Amino acid sequence: MSHCHDEHVGHGGHGHDHHEHDHSDDITPALQHSLYSQINFDHIVTLNEADRDSGRAVVKKTWQERLDVEPELLSDVDEQLLMTVPFTAQVKLHSVLIRTSPSSSAPKTLHLFINRDNLDFSTAEESDPVQTLELSQTGELQEIPVRRALFGKVQQLVLFFPDNFGYGDEDVTRISYLGFKGEWTLLGRAPANIMYEAAAQPGDHKIKGTSVNQMGSGIGQ
């Protein structure tokens, strides 16, 4: 499980002292491998979101909006969240970017699944994830690398947040930004780097056990 937090994100890894270049110079390296333009936003599904479509709104934030507090994704009946993010191309995932909270509402664990359209909370808890990531309790933007060999043919990514830093005493989990970096491939094309950001989900679950696929038919084209 790779945990690599707050490295290179938002800093560009270089210390320019030029006062006369505009910020687009710093934004370009950060977005070099962004998958934002390959997300199928219309089919993002988030289970147990307190406000409908708040998950989708968080993923739709651009890189420039990554530090904005709102919109924010909050869990509803308990601390768990389950989000399905479909892509319009075949993706090789490099890393997940996430901004949460320094409070007990910050998600603690992230289980990643790929190309699964039948996951609800019960099946997610019973299934072995492709990879599990440990998150930090911080308001800083985290970039967590994945094992690239395991994420070479992703058409849809399922993110399951089973807990938070409340250790059972906090029913609300908060996420304010989600993004993804990697490469993408269209049929008959070589892998390409593209700008990507975070995708959120449509909220439709006061009923926590709803199947992800019920809201996302046709996901993963």
Side-chain angles (χ1 to χ4, degrees):
M1 321 316 166
S2 322
H3 333 156
C4 180
H5 306 307
D6 307 329
E7 294 183 4
H8 313 305
V9 181
H11 301 301
H14 45 54
H16 287 152
D17 283 323
H18 306 304
H19 295 79
E20 308 194 357
H21 75 292
D22 74 49
H23 286 307
S24 62
D25 293 343
D26 301 320
I27 291 171
T28 301
L31 293 183
Q32 186 175 8
H33 294 276
S34 172
L35 296 174
Y36 189 84
S37 66
Q38 299 305 311
I39 298 172
N40 188 345
F41 292 106
D42 289 342
H43 289 283
I44 291 171
V45 175
T46 303
L47 300 184
N48 198 39
E49 60 183 359
D51 297 315
R52 184 178 179 87
D53 294 339
S54 59
R56 178 185 300 171
V58 165
V59 180
K60 278 186 122 175
K61 282 185 180 179
T62 65
W63 174 255
Q64 292 91 330
E65 296 169 332
R66 67 194 182 279
L67 301 181
D68 293 354
V69 175
E70 295 181 347
E72 184 178 33
L73 169 61
L74 279 66
S75 65
D76 189 13
V77 302
D78 62 16
E79 74 277 16
Q80 296 191 339
L81 287 164
L82 183 64
M83 179 187 294
T84 298
V85 179
F87 298 98
T88 57
Q90 182 168 280
V91 164
K92 180 177 183 179
L93 186 67
H94 293 176
S95 61
V96 175
L97 291 83
I98 186 169
R99 184 167 182 258
T100 61
S101 164
S103 73
S104 59
S105 294
K108 185 174 184 292
T109 310
L110 171 56
H111 296 311
L112 296 176
F113 301 85
I114 60 173
N115 304 335
R116 297 283 299 269
D117 60 5
N118 60 343
L119 285 183
D120 55 20
F121 287 99
S122 296
T123 54
E125 288 179 332
E126 295 168 359
S127 303
D128 293 328
V130 176
Q131 187 174 357
T132 296
L133 306 177
E134 298 300 328
L135 307 177
S136 294
Q137 188 177 9
T138 176
E140 298 297 316
L141 186 65
Q142 304 171 60
E143 179 172 3
I144 307 103
V146 301
R147 293 185 191 138
R148 297 187 186 186
L150 301 178
F151 293 87
K153 296 181 178 180
V154 181
Q155 293 186 339
Q156 65 180 19
L157 183 67
V158 181
L159 303 92
F160 174 40
F161 300 91
D163 54 13
N164 60 26
F165 281 91
Y167 299 99
D169 294 328
E170 175 56 72
D171 286 339
V172 177
T173 294
R174 297 172 177 268
I175 299 171
S176 62
Y177 177 84
L178 264 176
F180 311 92
K181 286 186 178 181
E183 301 170 353
W184 58 274
T185 307
L186 297 179
L187 290 178
R189 304 286 289 277
N193 296 333
I194 191 135
M195 307 212 297
Y196 164 103
E197 257 174 281
Q201 73 276 4
D204 172 90
H205 17 307
K206 303 290 184 186
I207 302 172
K208 189 170 176 280
T210 305
S211 168
V212 171
N213 197 40
Q214 287 179 1
M215 293 190 62
S217 60
I219 286 181
Q221 316 224 341

mmCIF file with all atom_site columns, all heavy atoms in Angstrom, residues 57-59 61 65-73 98-101 139 174-178 198:
data_model
loop_
_atom_site.group_PDB
_atom_site.id
_atom_site.type_symbol
_atom_site.label_atom_id
_atom_site.label_alt_id
_atom_site.label_comp_id
_atom_site.label_asym_id
_atom_site.label_entity_id
_atom_site.label_seq_id
_atom_site.pdbx_PDB_ins_code
_atom_site.Cartn_x
_atom_site.Cartn_y
_atom_site.Cartn_z
_atom_site.occupancy
_atom_site.B_iso_or_equiv
_atom_site.pdbx_formal_charge
_atom_site.auth_seq_id
_atom_site.auth_comp_id
_atom_site.auth_asym_id
_atom_site.auth_atom_id
_atom_site.pdbx_PDB_model_num
ATOM 1   N N   . ALA A 1 57  ? -19.923 16.869 -7.976  1.00 0.00 ? 57  ALA A N   1
ATOM 2   C CA  . ALA A 1 57  ? -19.439 18.246 -7.945  1.00 0.00 ? 57  ALA A CA  1
ATOM 3   C C   . ALA A 1 57  ? -18.003 18.330 -7.439  1.00 0.00 ? 57  ALA A C   1
ATOM 4   O O   . ALA A 1 57  ? -17.205 19.149 -7.913  1.00 0.00 ? 57  ALA A O   1
ATOM 5   C CB  . ALA A 1 57  ? -20.354 19.100 -7.057  1.00 0.00 ? 57  ALA A CB  1
ATOM 6   N N   . VAL A 1 58  ? -17.652 17.487 -6.483  1.00 0.00 ? 58  VAL A N   1
ATOM 7   C CA  . VAL A 1 58  ? -16.292 17.479 -5.950  1.00 0.00 ? 58  VAL A CA  1
ATOM 8   C C   . VAL A 1 58  ? -15.301 17.017 -7.016  1.00 0.00 ? 58  VAL A C   1
ATOM 9   O O   . VAL A 1 58  ? -14.207 17.558 -7.161  1.00 0.00 ? 58  VAL A O   1
ATOM 10  C CB  . VAL A 1 58  ? -16.223 16.574 -4.700  1.00 0.00 ? 58  VAL A CB  1
ATOM 11  C CG1 . VAL A 1 58  ? -14.783 16.250 -4.339  1.00 0.00 ? 58  VAL A CG1 1
ATOM 12  C CG2 . VAL A 1 58  ? -16.916 17.247 -3.524  1.00 0.00 ? 58  VAL A CG2 1
ATOM 13  N N   . VAL A 1 59  ? -15.692 16.017 -7.794  1.00 0.00 ? 59  VAL A N   1
ATOM 14  C CA  . VAL A 1 59  ? -14.815 15.509 -8.842  1.00 0.00 ? 59  VAL A CA  1
ATOM 15  C C   . VAL A 1 59  ? -14.714 16.504 -10.001 1.00 0.00 ? 59  VAL A C   1
ATOM 16  O O   . VAL A 1 59  ? -13.713 16.559 -10.701 1.00 0.00 ? 59  VAL A O   1
ATOM 17  C CB  . VAL A 1 59  ? -15.304 14.133 -9.344  1.00 0.00 ? 59  VAL A CB  1
ATOM 18  C CG1 . VAL A 1 59  ? -14.386 13.593 -10.431 1.00 0.00 ? 59  VAL A CG1 1
ATOM 19  C CG2 . VAL A 1 59  ? -15.352 13.144 -8.189  1.00 0.00 ? 59  VAL A CG2 1
ATOM 20  N N   . LYS A 1 61  ? -14.479 19.656 -9.779  1.00 0.00 ? 61  LYS A N   1
ATOM 21  C CA  . LYS A 1 61  ? -13.621 20.800 -9.471  1.00 0.00 ? 61  LYS A CA  1
ATOM 22  C C   . LYS A 1 61  ? -12.361 20.747 -10.329 1.00 0.00 ? 61  LYS A C   1
ATOM 23  O O   . LYS A 1 61  ? -11.739 19.684 -10.471 1.00 0.00 ? 61  LYS A O   1
ATOM 24  C CB  . LYS A 1 61  ? -13.213 20.789 -7.996  1.00 0.00 ? 61  LYS A CB  1
ATOM 25  C CG  . LYS A 1 61  ? -14.260 21.281 -7.038  1.00 0.00 ? 61  LYS A CG  1
ATOM 26  C CD  . LYS A 1 61  ? -13.678 21.340 -5.628  1.00 0.00 ? 61  LYS A CD  1
ATOM 27  C CE  . LYS A 1 61  ? -14.697 21.832 -4.620  1.00 0.00 ? 61  LYS A CE  1
ATOM 28  N NZ  . LYS A 1 61  ? -14.137 21.869 -3.248  1.00 0.00 ? 61  LYS A NZ  1
ATOM 29  N N   . GLU A 1 65  ? -9.428  24.970 -8.648  1.00 0.00 ? 65  GLU A N   1
ATOM 30  C CA  . GLU A 1 65  ? -10.435 25.014 -7.581  1.00 0.00 ? 65  GLU A CA  1
ATOM 31  C C   . GLU A 1 65  ? -10.172 24.003 -6.460  1.00 0.00 ? 65  GLU A C   1
ATOM 32  O O   . GLU A 1 65  ? -10.982 23.854 -5.552  1.00 0.00 ? 65  GLU A O   1
ATOM 33  C CB  . GLU A 1 65  ? -11.824 24.730 -8.176  1.00 0.00 ? 65  GLU A CB  1
ATOM 34  C CG  . GLU A 1 65  ? -12.289 25.776 -9.171  1.00 0.00 ? 65  GLU A CG  1
ATOM 35  C CD  . GLU A 1 65  ? -13.530 25.338 -9.940  1.00 0.00 ? 65  GLU A CD  1
ATOM 36  O OE1 . GLU A 1 65  ? -13.731 24.119 -10.129 1.00 0.00 ? 65  GLU A OE1 1
ATOM 37  O OE2 . GLU A 1 65  ? -14.290 26.226 -10.364 1.00 0.00 ? 65  GLU A OE2 1
ATOM 38  N N   . ARG A 1 66  ? -9.033  23.338 -6.514  1.00 0.00 ? 66  ARG A N   1
ATOM 39  C CA  . ARG A 1 66  ? -8.769  22.219 -5.612  1.00 0.00 ? 66  ARG A CA  1
ATOM 40  C C   . ARG A 1 66  ? -8.788  22.612 -4.122  1.00 0.00 ? 66  ARG A C   1
ATOM 41  O O   . ARG A 1 66  ? -9.084  21.775 -3.271  1.00 0.00 ? 66  ARG A O   1
ATOM 42  C CB  . ARG A 1 66  ? -7.429  21.571 -5.948  1.00 0.00 ? 66  ARG A CB  1
ATOM 43  C CG  . ARG A 1 66  ? -6.209  22.462 -5.684  1.00 0.00 ? 66  ARG A CG  1
ATOM 44  C CD  . ARG A 1 66  ? -4.961  21.889 -6.351  1.00 0.00 ? 66  ARG A CD  1
ATOM 45  N NE  . ARG A 1 66  ? -3.778  22.696 -6.078  1.00 0.00 ? 66  ARG A NE  1
ATOM 46  C CZ  . ARG A 1 66  ? -3.463  23.823 -6.726  1.00 0.00 ? 66  ARG A CZ  1
ATOM 47  N NH1 . ARG A 1 66  ? -4.264  24.265 -7.691  1.00 0.00 ? 66  ARG A NH1 1
ATOM 48  N NH2 . ARG A 1 66  ? -2.364  24.489 -6.418  1.00 0.00 ? 66  ARG A NH2 1
ATOM 49  N N   . LEU A 1 67  ? -8.472  23.860 -3.803  1.00 0.00 ? 67  LEU A N   1
ATOM 50  C CA  . LEU A 1 67  ? -8.436  24.288 -2.401  1.00 0.00 ? 67  LEU A CA  1
ATOM 51  C C   . LEU A 1 67  ? -9.736  24.949 -1.951  1.00 0.00 ? 67  LEU A C   1
ATOM 52  O O   . LEU A 1 67  ? -9.862  25.351 -0.793  1.00 0.00 ? 67  LEU A O   1
ATOM 53  C CB  . LEU A 1 67  ? -7.256  25.245 -2.176  1.00 0.00 ? 67  LEU A CB  1
ATOM 54  C CG  . LEU A 1 67  ? -5.871  24.664 -2.494  1.00 0.00 ? 67  LEU A CG  1
ATOM 55  C CD1 . LEU A 1 67  ? -4.788  25.691 -2.205  1.00 0.00 ? 67  LEU A CD1 1
ATOM 56  C CD2 . LEU A 1 67  ? -5.623  23.377 -1.712  1.00 0.00 ? 67  LEU A CD2 1
ATOM 57  N N   . ASP A 1 68  ? -10.712 25.057 -2.864  1.00 0.00 ? 68  ASP A N   1
ATOM 58  C CA  . ASP A 1 68  ? -12.003 25.625 -2.487  1.00 0.00 ? 68  ASP A CA  1
ATOM 59  C C   . ASP A 1 68  ? -12.721 24.702 -1.499  1.00 0.00 ? 68  ASP A C   1
ATOM 60  O O   . ASP A 1 68  ? -12.758 23.481 -1.687  1.00 0.00 ? 68  ASP A O   1
ATOM 61  C CB  . ASP A 1 68  ? -12.894 25.829 -3.714  1.00 0.00 ? 68  ASP A CB  1
ATOM 62  C CG  . ASP A 1 68  ? -12.353 26.907 -4.649  1.00 0.00 ? 68  ASP A CG  1
ATOM 63  O OD1 . ASP A 1 68  ? -11.357 27.573 -4.289  1.00 0.00 ? 68  ASP A OD1 1
ATOM 64  O OD2 . ASP A 1 68  ? -12.932 27.072 -5.743  1.00 0.00 ? 68  ASP A OD2 1
ATOM 65  N N   . VAL A 1 69  ? -13.292 25.287 -0.475  1.00 0.00 ? 69  VAL A N   1
ATOM 66  C CA  . VAL A 1 69  ? -13.977 24.477 0.543   1.00 0.00 ? 69  VAL A CA  1
ATOM 67  C C   . VAL A 1 69  ? -15.268 23.865 -0.009  1.00 0.00 ? 69  VAL A C   1
ATOM 68  O O   . VAL A 1 69  ? -15.613 22.723 0.301   1.00 0.00 ? 69  VAL A O   1
ATOM 69  C CB  . VAL A 1 69  ? -14.290 25.335 1.783   1.00 0.00 ? 69  VAL A CB  1
ATOM 70  C CG1 . VAL A 1 69  ? -15.105 24.537 2.792   1.00 0.00 ? 69  VAL A CG1 1
ATOM 71  C CG2 . VAL A 1 69  ? -13.002 25.844 2.416   1.00 0.00 ? 69  VAL A CG2 1
ATOM 72  N N   . GLU A 1 70  ? -15.977 24.623 -0.826  1.00 0.00 ? 70  GLU A N   1
ATOM 73  C CA  . GLU A 1 70  ? -17.241 24.135 -1.382  1.00 0.00 ? 70  GLU A CA  1
ATOM 74  C C   . GLU A 1 70  ? -17.163 24.083 -2.911  1.00 0.00 ? 70  GLU A C   1
ATOM 75  O O   . GLU A 1 70  ? -16.416 24.867 -3.509  1.00 0.00 ? 70  GLU A O   1
ATOM 76  C CB  . GLU A 1 70  ? -18.387 25.053 -0.944  1.00 0.00 ? 70  GLU A CB  1
ATOM 77  C CG  . GLU A 1 70  ? -18.612 25.017 0.560   1.00 0.00 ? 70  GLU A CG  1
ATOM 78  C CD  . GLU A 1 70  ? -19.772 25.903 0.979   1.00 0.00 ? 70  GLU A CD  1
ATOM 79  O OE1 . GLU A 1 70  ? -20.231 26.715 0.144   1.00 0.00 ? 70  GLU A OE1 1
ATOM 80  O OE2 . GLU A 1 70  ? -20.217 25.777 2.126   1.00 0.00 ? 70  GLU A OE2 1
ATOM 81  N N   . PRO A 1 71  ? -17.912 23.183 -3.525  1.00 0.00 ? 71  PRO A N   1
ATOM 82  C CA  . PRO A 1 71  ? -18.791 22.190 -2.899  1.00 0.00 ? 71  PRO A CA  1
ATOM 83  C C   . PRO A 1 71  ? -17.985 21.129 -2.150  1.00 0.00 ? 71  PRO A C   1
ATOM 84  O O   . PRO A 1 71  ? -16.807 20.921 -2.422  1.00 0.00 ? 71  PRO A O   1
ATOM 85  C CB  . PRO A 1 71  ? -19.540 21.578 -4.085  1.00 0.00 ? 71  PRO A CB  1
ATOM 86  C CG  . PRO A 1 71  ? -18.624 21.776 -5.249  1.00 0.00 ? 71  PRO A CG  1
ATOM 87  C CD  . PRO A 1 71  ? -17.927 23.082 -5.006  1.00 0.00 ? 71  PRO A CD  1
ATOM 88  N N   . GLU A 1 72  ? -18.661 20.475 -1.225  1.00 0.00 ? 72  GLU A N   1
ATOM 89  C CA  . GLU A 1 72  ? -18.023 19.455 -0.404  1.00 0.00 ? 72  GLU A CA  1
ATOM 90  C C   . GLU A 1 72  ? -18.924 18.232 -0.344  1.00 0.00 ? 72  GLU A C   1
ATOM 91  O O   . GLU A 1 72  ? -20.154 18.345 -0.280  1.00 0.00 ? 72  GLU A O   1
ATOM 92  C CB  . GLU A 1 72  ? -17.769 20.000 1.005   1.00 0.00 ? 72  GLU A CB  1
ATOM 93  C CG  . GLU A 1 72  ? -17.014 19.052 1.906   1.00 0.00 ? 72  GLU A CG  1
ATOM 94  C CD  . GLU A 1 72  ? -16.753 19.666 3.287   1.00 0.00 ? 72  GLU A CD  1
ATOM 95  O OE1 . GLU A 1 72  ? -17.615 20.447 3.759   1.00 0.00 ? 72  GLU A OE1 1
ATOM 96  O OE2 . GLU A 1 72  ? -15.711 19.355 3.880   1.00 0.00 ? 72  GLU A OE2 1
ATOM 97  N N   . LEU A 1 73  ? -18.316 17.058 -0.374  1.00 0.00 ? 73  LEU A N   1
ATOM 98  C CA  . LEU A 1 73  ? -19.047 15.799 -0.260  1.00 0.00 ? 73  LEU A CA  1
ATOM 99  C C   . LEU A 1 73  ? -19.101 15.383 1.206   1.00 0.00 ? 73  LEU A C   1
ATOM 100 O O   . LEU A 1 73  ? -18.055 15.254 1.857   1.00 0.00 ? 73  LEU A O   1
ATOM 101 C CB  . LEU A 1 73  ? -18.354 14.716 -1.093  1.00 0.00 ? 73  LEU A CB  1
ATOM 102 C CG  . LEU A 1 73  ? -18.819 13.270 -0.884  1.00 0.00 ? 73  LEU A CG  1
ATOM 103 C CD1 . LEU A 1 73  ? -20.287 13.096 -1.243  1.00 0.00 ? 73  LEU A CD1 1
ATOM 104 C CD2 . LEU A 1 73  ? -17.945 12.315 -1.699  1.00 0.00 ? 73  LEU A CD2 1
ATOM 105 N N   . ILE A 1 98  ? -6.525  13.757 -3.410  1.00 0.00 ? 98  ILE A N   1
ATOM 106 C CA  . ILE A 1 98  ? -7.673  13.947 -2.541  1.00 0.00 ? 98  ILE A CA  1
ATOM 107 C C   . ILE A 1 98  ? -7.374  15.039 -1.522  1.00 0.00 ? 98  ILE A C   1
ATOM 108 O O   . ILE A 1 98  ? -6.250  15.169 -1.038  1.00 0.00 ? 98  ILE A O   1
ATOM 109 C CB  . ILE A 1 98  ? -8.052  12.627 -1.823  1.00 0.00 ? 98  ILE A CB  1
ATOM 110 C CG1 . ILE A 1 98  ? -9.340  12.791 -1.017  1.00 0.00 ? 98  ILE A CG1 1
ATOM 111 C CG2 . ILE A 1 98  ? -6.909  12.111 -0.949  1.00 0.00 ? 98  ILE A CG2 1
ATOM 112 C CD1 . ILE A 1 98  ? -9.924  11.463 -0.508  1.00 0.00 ? 98  ILE A CD1 1
ATOM 113 N N   . ARG A 1 99  ? -8.394  15.847 -1.250  1.00 0.00 ? 99  ARG A N   1
ATOM 114 C CA  . ARG A 1 99  ? -8.304  16.825 -0.164  1.00 0.00 ? 99  ARG A CA  1
ATOM 115 C C   . ARG A 1 99  ? -9.476  16.582 0.760   1.00 0.00 ? 99  ARG A C   1
ATOM 116 O O   . ARG A 1 99  ? -10.619 16.502 0.324   1.00 0.00 ? 99  ARG A O   1
ATOM 117 C CB  . ARG A 1 99  ? -8.324  18.259 -0.694  1.00 0.00 ? 99  ARG A CB  1
ATOM 118 C CG  . ARG A 1 99  ? -8.136  19.294 0.408   1.00 0.00 ? 99  ARG A CG  1
ATOM 119 C CD  . ARG A 1 99  ? -7.836  20.684 -0.153  1.00 0.00 ? 99  ARG A CD  1
ATOM 120 N NE  . ARG A 1 99  ? -7.613  21.635 0.935   1.00 0.00 ? 99  ARG A NE  1
ATOM 121 C CZ  . ARG A 1 99  ? -8.505  22.529 1.352   1.00 0.00 ? 99  ARG A CZ  1
ATOM 122 N NH1 . ARG A 1 99  ? -9.690  22.613 0.764   1.00 0.00 ? 99  ARG A NH1 1
ATOM 123 N NH2 . ARG A 1 99  ? -8.222  23.349 2.345   1.00 0.00 ? 99  ARG A NH2 1
ATOM 124 N N   . THR A 1 100 ? -9.185  16.440 2.044   1.00 0.00 ? 100 THR A N   1
ATOM 125 C CA  . THR A 1 100 ? -10.228 16.109 3.004   1.00 0.00 ? 100 THR A CA  1
ATOM 126 C C   . THR A 1 100 ? -10.275 17.161 4.110   1.00 0.00 ? 100 THR A C   1
ATOM 127 O O   . THR A 1 100 ? -10.615 18.308 3.876   1.00 0.00 ? 100 THR A O   1
ATOM 128 C CB  . THR A 1 100 ? -10.023 14.696 3.568   1.00 0.00 ? 100 THR A CB  1
ATOM 129 O OG1 . THR A 1 100 ? -8.751  14.620 4.240   1.00 0.00 ? 100 THR A OG1 1
ATOM 130 C CG2 . THR A 1 100 ? -10.047 13.663 2.464   1.00 0.00 ? 100 THR A CG2 1
ATOM 131 N N   . SER A 1 101 ? -9.882  16.791 5.329   1.00 0.00 ? 101 SER A N   1
ATOM 132 C CA  . SER A 1 101 ? -10.052 17.669 6.472   1.00 0.00 ? 101 SER A CA  1
ATOM 133 C C   . SER A 1 101 ? -9.069  17.278 7.565   1.00 0.00 ? 101 SER A C   1
ATOM 134 O O   . SER A 1 101 ? -8.714  16.104 7.683   1.00 0.00 ? 101 SER A O   1
ATOM 135 C CB  . SER A 1 101 ? -11.499 17.542 6.986   1.00 0.00 ? 101 SER A CB  1
ATOM 136 O OG  . SER A 1 101 ? -11.631 18.076 8.279   1.00 0.00 ? 101 SER A OG  1
ATOM 137 N N   . GLY A 1 139 ? -5.763  18.838 6.047   1.00 0.00 ? 139 GLY A N   1
ATOM 138 C CA  . GLY A 1 139 ? -6.466  19.663 5.087   1.00 0.00 ? 139 GLY A CA  1
ATOM 139 C C   . GLY A 1 139 ? -5.635  19.946 3.853   1.00 0.00 ? 139 GLY A C   1
ATOM 140 O O   . GLY A 1 139 ? -6.088  20.614 2.922   1.00 0.00 ? 139 GLY A O   1
ATOM 141 N N   . ARG A 1 174 ? -15.999 13.769 5.236   1.00 0.00 ? 174 ARG A N   1
ATOM 142 C CA  . ARG A 1 174 ? -15.957 14.938 4.354   1.00 0.00 ? 174 ARG A CA  1
ATOM 143 C C   . ARG A 1 174 ? -14.824 14.823 3.340   1.00 0.00 ? 174 ARG A C   1
ATOM 144 O O   . ARG A 1 174 ? -13.696 14.480 3.691   1.00 0.00 ? 174 ARG A O   1
ATOM 145 C CB  . ARG A 1 174 ? -15.741 16.219 5.165   1.00 0.00 ? 174 ARG A CB  1
ATOM 146 C CG  . ARG A 1 174 ? -16.862 16.544 6.135   1.00 0.00 ? 174 ARG A CG  1
ATOM 147 C CD  . ARG A 1 174 ? -16.479 17.722 7.038   1.00 0.00 ? 174 ARG A CD  1
ATOM 148 N NE  . ARG A 1 174 ? -17.574 18.093 7.932   1.00 0.00 ? 174 ARG A NE  1
ATOM 149 C CZ  . ARG A 1 174 ? -18.480 19.015 7.652   1.00 0.00 ? 174 ARG A CZ  1
ATOM 150 N NH1 . ARG A 1 174 ? -18.431 19.684 6.503   1.00 0.00 ? 174 ARG A NH1 1
ATOM 151 N NH2 . ARG A 1 174 ? -19.443 19.294 8.506   1.00 0.00 ? 174 ARG A NH2 1
ATOM 152 N N   . ILE A 1 175 ? -15.142 15.137 2.080   1.00 0.00 ? 175 ILE A N   1
ATOM 153 C CA  . ILE A 1 175 ? -14.151 15.179 1.001   1.00 0.00 ? 175 ILE A CA  1
ATOM 154 C C   . ILE A 1 175 ? -14.438 16.426 0.175   1.00 0.00 ? 175 ILE A C   1
ATOM 155 O O   . ILE A 1 175 ? -15.580 16.648 -0.241  1.00 0.00 ? 175 ILE A O   1
ATOM 156 C CB  . ILE A 1 175 ? -14.237 13.927 0.109   1.00 0.00 ? 175 ILE A CB  1
ATOM 157 C CG1 . ILE A 1 175 ? -13.946 12.663 0.929   1.00 0.00 ? 175 ILE A CG1 1
ATOM 158 C CG2 . ILE A 1 175 ? -13.263 14.036 -1.077  1.00 0.00 ? 175 ILE A CG2 1
ATOM 159 C CD1 . ILE A 1 175 ? -14.217 11.372 0.177   1.00 0.00 ? 175 ILE A CD1 1
ATOM 160 N N   . SER A 1 176 ? -13.406 17.238 -0.069  1.00 0.00 ? 176 SER A N   1
ATOM 161 C CA  . SER A 1 176 ? -13.643 18.476 -0.820  1.00 0.00 ? 176 SER A CA  1
ATOM 162 C C   . SER A 1 176 ? -13.007 18.462 -2.208  1.00 0.00 ? 176 SER A C   1
ATOM 163 O O   . SER A 1 176 ? -13.308 19.340 -3.027  1.00 0.00 ? 176 SER A O   1
ATOM 164 C CB  . SER A 1 176 ? -13.115 19.686 -0.032  1.00 0.00 ? 176 SER A CB  1
ATOM 165 O OG  . SER A 1 176 ? -11.717 19.592 0.171   1.00 0.00 ? 176 SER A OG  1
ATOM 166 N N   . TYR A 1 177 ? -12.153 17.486 -2.491  1.00 0.00 ? 177 TYR A N   1
ATOM 167 C CA  . TYR A 1 177 ? -11.546 17.417 -3.825  1.00 0.00 ? 177 TYR A CA  1
ATOM 168 C C   . TYR A 1 177 ? -11.130 15.978 -4.119  1.00 0.00 ? 177 TYR A C   1
ATOM 169 O O   . TYR A 1 177 ? -10.613 15.271 -3.240  1.00 0.00 ? 177 TYR A O   1
ATOM 170 C CB  . TYR A 1 177 ? -10.320 18.335 -3.907  1.00 0.00 ? 177 TYR A CB  1
ATOM 171 C CG  . TYR A 1 177 ? -9.587  18.279 -5.241  1.00 0.00 ? 177 TYR A CG  1
ATOM 172 C CD1 . TYR A 1 177 ? -10.017 19.045 -6.327  1.00 0.00 ? 177 TYR A CD1 1
ATOM 173 C CD2 . TYR A 1 177 ? -8.480  17.452 -5.422  1.00 0.00 ? 177 TYR A CD2 1
ATOM 174 C CE1 . TYR A 1 177 ? -9.357  18.990 -7.540  1.00 0.00 ? 177 TYR A CE1 1
ATOM 175 C CE2 . TYR A 1 177 ? -7.817  17.392 -6.635  1.00 0.00 ? 177 TYR A CE2 1
ATOM 176 C CZ  . TYR A 1 177 ? -8.262  18.157 -7.692  1.00 0.00 ? 177 TYR A CZ  1
ATOM 177 O OH  . TYR A 1 177 ? -7.610  18.096 -8.902  1.00 0.00 ? 177 TYR A OH  1
ATOM 178 N N   . LEU A 1 178 ? -11.348 15.549 -5.353  1.00 0.00 ? 178 LEU A N   1
ATOM 179 C CA  . LEU A 1 178 ? -10.886 14.243 -5.822  1.00 0.00 ? 178 LEU A CA  1
ATOM 180 C C   . LEU A 1 178 ? -10.383 14.402 -7.247  1.00 0.00 ? 178 LEU A C   1
ATOM 181 O O   . LEU A 1 178 ? -11.061 15.016 -8.084  1.00 0.00 ? 178 LEU A O   1
ATOM 182 C CB  . LEU A 1 178 ? -12.019 13.212 -5.806  1.00 0.00 ? 178 LEU A CB  1
ATOM 183 C CG  . LEU A 1 178 ? -12.122 12.295 -4.593  1.00 0.00 ? 178 LEU A CG  1
ATOM 184 C CD1 . LEU A 1 178 ? -13.370 11.422 -4.713  1.00 0.00 ? 178 LEU A CD1 1
ATOM 185 C CD2 . LEU A 1 178 ? -10.885 11.417 -4.450  1.00 0.00 ? 178 LEU A CD2 1
ATOM 186 N N   . ALA A 1 198 ? -10.668 15.709 -10.627 1.00 0.00 ? 198 ALA A N   1
ATOM 187 C CA  . ALA A 1 198 ? -11.400 14.786 -9.805  1.00 0.00 ? 198 ALA A CA  1
ATOM 188 C C   . ALA A 1 198 ? -12.820 14.646 -10.266 1.00 0.00 ? 198 ALA A C   1
ATOM 189 O O   . ALA A 1 198 ? -13.388 15.567 -10.765 1.00 0.00 ? 198 ALA A O   1
ATOM 190 C CB  . ALA A 1 198 ? -11.397 15.279 -8.382  1.00 0.00 ? 198 ALA A CB  1
#
